[in-house]
Amino acid sequence: MKVYNTLTRTKEEFIPLSNEEVKIYVCGPTVYNFFHIGNARPFVVFDTLRRYMEYSGMKVNFVQNFTDVDDKIINRAKEEGISAAEVGDKYIKEYFDDVQALNVRRATVHPRVSENIPQIIQFVSDLIEKGFAYEVDGDVYFSTRKFQGYGKLSKQDVDELEAGARIMIEEKKQDPLDFALWKARKEPSEVAWESPWGMGRPGWHIECSAMSKRYLGETIDIHAGGVDLTFPHHENEIAQSEAHNGKPFAKYWMHNGYITIDNQKMSKSLGNFFTVRDIRKEYSGEVIRYFLLSGQYRSPINFSKELMEQAKNSLGRMENAKANLEHLIANEEGNLTDEEKIYVAGFDKHVEDFKKAMDDDLNTADGITAVFELINDINNATKNGCSKEFAEKALAQLLELANVLGLLEQSKDDSIDDEVQKLIDERQEARKNKDFARADEIRDILKAKGITLKDTPQGIQIIKE
RNA sequence: GGCGCCAUAGCCAAGCGGUAAGGCAGAAGUCUGCAAAACUUUUACGCCCCAGUUCAAAUCUGGGUGGCGCCUCCA
């Protein structure tokens, strides 16, 4: 498998550090609010990476943190009149609710900053001891210029950065490029922990370095996140971790592109964002997931109603294929015919195409194409009915690929109540008596309830929304 | 000022030197009591523009034009 590595700006063959497991760390959310569709992209993309690696036979140790100690959380807590811990707990719960709808599997570990304070304090102390950090009035800063190679990920030149002069000048810092590892408490009500430098809390960047080390070790295979984290967040993580451990931090750095609105970056500060929670009111999580996977992960994707409709209709084609096969399985019998055997043998090509696409830096757009080509074959094979065995094999093949993408996983509730059953029976009776007006009327009534009836040669197929 | 990305049909999107995948939307047809689903056919002599390299370029090089991003909390 090839992977685009931001560190080298090229696609590289992915070679795991160990044959036992692949170590992946993905920067997780700061839990002070519902996450938006832009935040959702890395969750879905790197979940797909993980699924594909597991499909390819690798064992993956996947760590994604929760940043539950942060200024925004503190502010939120003040606003809502609850503790910072309660804010964190609340939005972690909401995170899992949304992410479950998106078919994003739980990470191997979801560490929280608040549960890693001793490790962080140790990490910071070590950096001071090694001469990479210094304390001023209860704050601790990292000496950027002491770490050679600062800027290697984002390809920034230290002197150019300084010349940019867009960095907040803090009196306490020895150099404007230095960043906080530990922040002293400003007022007594703030969450804070005891430390060698007094009461305070960790800076943003140090958390990931400390948690990555604790849960995955000093050198990991892949560190991933959104492109906007490249600088300064990931650059700072490299500086901290490599200064501390004296060895490479991550072998591959993967960054997903933005979600845009009218071609502008979606962001909380611009206020042009849509939360997944809100989008879910109109589209299923799988539609959102399909939308996010419809382009290659490094390209920007524009978010719009029109594109969501396209995603919904496209996914609908996949769902129809699945539903039609399930209906055939329930109503047909028999084993593979000679003609069907040829079709089944042809499935392999689509699997190969799928793997080829996914091996090429997770080209999910092409992966989806392979699934549609499989569906075309299946539809052609079944247009005049098929054996039960064929339908079973076709469905298994379809789900094998779709599930790697995290699609077609949610089984719909197809139970119907007595009242609906009575209407369906009545419609059948009406059709038999050629009372098509009544039959169509009933179909419309059910349609209004979100139940679509299809009259197939294998009987009535009921589709619920 | 520094670093970087992108430009393919009405819309989305692959392709990365060998003669334009796939999906949505649209049109016609088959099937059906009618629908739905499915199937068949159909929609880019051309891939932002101009040069160049090559037997061959959407794909490489140079120069434009237009859009976006990072350098500041941000996925």
Side-chain angles (χ1 to χ4, degrees), chain A residues 35-81:
Chain A
F35 62 82
H36 63 63
I37 179 95
N39 300 314
R41 172 118 93 147
F43 305 153
V44 167
V45 163
F46 299 114
D47 174 69
T48 305
L49 173 70
R50 173 199 194 179
R51 284 166 182 262
Y52 182 63
M53 285 180 156
E54 289 180 351
Y55 174 70
S56 305
M58 295 180 240
K59 185 168 175 281
V60 181
N61 193 168
F62 192 92
V63 176
Q64 186 182 83
N65 68 289
F66 284 118
T67 296
D68 62 348
V69 178
D70 178 89
D71 283 347
K72 296 190 197 89
I73 296 171
I74 293 169
N75 291 338
R76 187 86 190 191
K78 278 181 198 156
E79 279 168 33
E80 298 194 10

Side-chain angles (χ1 to χ4, degrees), chain A residues 33 110 133 165 178 184 188 207 280 312 374 429 432 436 449:
Chain A
N33 206 338
H110 279 287
D178 293 349
E207 315 162 352
R280 277 219 272 152
K312 182 183 169 186
L374 201 219
E429 193 59 30
K432 204 184 284 176
F436 296 120
K449 293 183 170 200

